Coordinates of all heavy atoms in Angstrom, one line a residue:
A26 N 8.1 16.5 17.7 CA 8.9 15.2 17.9 C 10.2 15.3 17.3 O 11.3 15.0 17.9 CB 8.1 14.0 17.4
G27 N 10.2 15.8 16.0 CA 11.5 16.0 15.3 C 12.4 17.0 16.0 O 13.6 16.8 16.1
L28 N 11.8 18.0 16.6 CA 12.5 19.1 17.3 C 13.3 18.5 18.5 O 14.5 18.7 18.7 CB 11.6 20.2 17.7 CG 12.2 21.5 18.2 CD1 11.3 22.7 18.0 CD2 12.6 21.4 19.7
W29 N 12.5 17.7 19.3 CA 13.1 17.1 20.5 C 14.3 16.2 20.1 O 15.4 16.2 20.7 CB 12.1 16.3 21.3 CG 11.3 17.1 22.2 CD1 10.1 17.7 22.0 CD2 11.6 17.5 23.6 NE1 9.6 18.4 23.1 CE2 10.5 18.3 24.1 CE3 12.7 17.3 24.4 CZ2 10.6 18.8 25.3 CZ3 12.7 17.8 25.7 CH2 11.6 18.5 26.1
S30 N 14.0 15.4 19.1 CA 15.0 14.4 18.7 C 16.3 15.0 18.1 O 17.4 14.7 18.5 CB 14.4 13.4 17.7 OG 15.3 12.4 17.3
E31 N 16.1 16.0 17.2 CA 17.2 16.6 16.5 C 18.0 17.6 17.4 O 19.2 17.8 17.3 CB 16.8 17.3 15.2 CG 16.2 16.3 14.3 CD 16.2 16.8 12.8 OE1 16.9 17.8 12.5 OE2 15.5 16.2 12.0
R32 N 17.3 18.2 18.4 CA 18.0 19.0 19.4 C 19.0 18.2 20.2 O 20.0 18.7 20.7 CB 17.0 19.7 20.3 CG 16.4 20.9 19.8 CD 17.4 22.0 19.6 NE 16.8 23.3 19.2 CZ 17.5 24.4 19.0 NH1 18.8 24.4 19.1 NH2 16.9 25.5 18.7
S33 N 18.7 16.9 20.3 CA 19.6 16.0 21.1 C 20.7 15.4 20.2 O 21.6 14.7 20.7 CB 18.9 14.9 21.8 OG 18.4 13.9 20.8
G34 N 20.6 15.7 18.9 CA 21.6 15.2 18.0 C 21.2 13.9 17.2 O 22.1 13.3 16.6
V35 N 20.0 13.6 17.3 CA 19.5 12.4 16.6 C 18.5 12.8 15.5 O 17.4 13.3 15.8 CB 18.8 11.4 17.6 CG1 18.3 10.2 16.8 CG2 19.7 11.0 18.7
V36 N 18.9 12.6 14.2 CA 18.1 12.9 13.1 C 17.0 11.9 13.0 O 17.2 10.7 13.1 CB 18.9 13.0 11.8 CG1 18.0 13.1 10.6 CG2 19.9 14.1 11.8
D37 N 15.7 12.4 12.9 CA 14.6 11.5 12.9 C 13.8 11.5 11.6 O 12.8 12.2 11.5 CB 13.7 11.8 14.1 CG 12.8 10.6 14.4 OD1 12.7 9.7 13.7 OD2 12.1 10.7 15.5
I38 N 14.3 10.8 10.6 CA 13.6 10.7 9.3 C 12.4 9.8 9.4 O 11.5 9.8 8.6 CB 14.6 10.1 8.2 CG1 15.8 11.1 8.0 CG2 13.9 10.0 6.9 CD1 15.4 12.4 7.5
G39 N 12.4 9.0 10.5 CA 11.3 8.0 10.7 C 10.0 8.5 11.3 O 9.2 7.8 11.8
L40 N 9.8 9.9 11.3 CA 8.6 10.4 11.8 C 7.4 9.8 11.1 O 6.4 9.5 11.8 CB 8.6 11.9 11.7 CG 9.6 12.7 12.5 CD1 9.6 14.2 12.1 CD2 9.4 12.6 14.0
E41 N 7.5 9.7 9.8 CA 6.3 9.1 9.1 C 6.0 7.7 9.5 O 4.8 7.4 9.7 CB 6.7 9.1 7.6 CG 5.7 8.6 6.7 CD 4.6 9.6 6.2 OE1 4.8 10.7 6.6 OE2 3.7 9.2 5.5
G42 N 7.0 6.9 9.7 CA 6.8 5.5 10.1 C 6.2 5.4 11.5 O 5.3 4.6 11.7
K43 N 6.7 6.2 12.4 CA 6.2 6.2 13.8 C 4.7 6.7 13.8 O 3.9 6.1 14.6 CB 7.1 7.0 14.7 CG 8.4 6.4 15.0 CD 9.2 7.1 16.1 CE 9.7 8.4 15.6 NZ 10.5 9.1 16.7
M44 N 4.4 7.7 13.1 CA 3.0 8.1 13.0 C 2.1 7.0 12.4 O 1.0 6.8 13.0 CB 2.9 9.4 12.1 CG 3.5 10.6 12.7 SD 3.5 12.0 11.5 CE 1.7 12.2 11.2
L45 N 2.6 6.3 11.4 CA 1.8 5.3 10.8 C 1.5 4.1 11.7 O 0.4 3.6 11.8 CB 2.4 4.8 9.5 CG 1.6 4.0 8.5 CD1 0.4 4.8 8.1 CD2 2.4 3.6 7.3
V46 N 2.6 3.7 12.4 CA 2.4 2.6 13.4 C 1.5 3.0 14.5 O 0.6 2.3 15.0 CB 3.8 2.2 14.0 CG1 3.6 1.3 15.2 CG2 4.6 1.5 12.9
A47 N 1.6 4.3 15.0 CA 0.7 4.8 16.1 C -0.7 4.9 15.6 O -1.6 4.6 16.4 CB 1.2 6.1 16.6
A48 N -0.9 5.3 14.4 CA -2.3 5.3 13.8 C -2.9 4.0 13.8 O -4.1 3.8 14.2 CB -2.2 6.0 12.4
F49 N -2.2 3.0 13.3 CA -2.7 1.6 13.3 C -3.0 1.1 14.7 O -4.1 0.5 15.0 CB -1.8 0.7 12.5 CG -2.2 -0.8 12.6 CD1 -3.3 -1.2 11.8 CD2 -1.6 -1.7 13.4 CE1 -3.7 -2.5 11.8 CE2 -2.0 -3.0 13.5 CZ -3.1 -3.4 12.7
A50 N -2.0 1.2 15.5 CA -2.1 0.7 16.9 C -3.2 1.4 17.7 O -3.9 0.8 18.4 CB -0.8 0.8 17.6
G51 N -3.3 2.7 17.5 CA -4.4 3.4 18.1 C -5.8 3.0 17.7 O -6.6 2.8 18.6
A52 N -6.0 2.8 16.4 CA -7.3 2.4 15.9 C -7.6 1.0 16.4 O -8.7 0.7 16.8 CB -7.3 2.5 14.4
A53 N -6.6 0.1 16.3 CA -6.8 -1.3 16.7 C -7.1 -1.3 18.2 O -7.9 -2.1 18.7 CB -5.6 -2.1 16.4
G54 N -6.4 -0.6 19.0 CA -6.6 -0.6 20.5 C -7.9 0.0 20.8 O -8.6 -0.5 21.7

Side-chain angles (χ1 to χ4, degrees):
L28 191 154
W29 276 95
S30 184
E31 296 199 16
R32 278 295 188 181
S33 72
V35 179
V36 174
D37 201 349
I38 300 294
L40 295 175
E41 178 87 2
K43 289 190 289 186
M44 288 174 63
L45 193 60
V46 168
F49 173 76

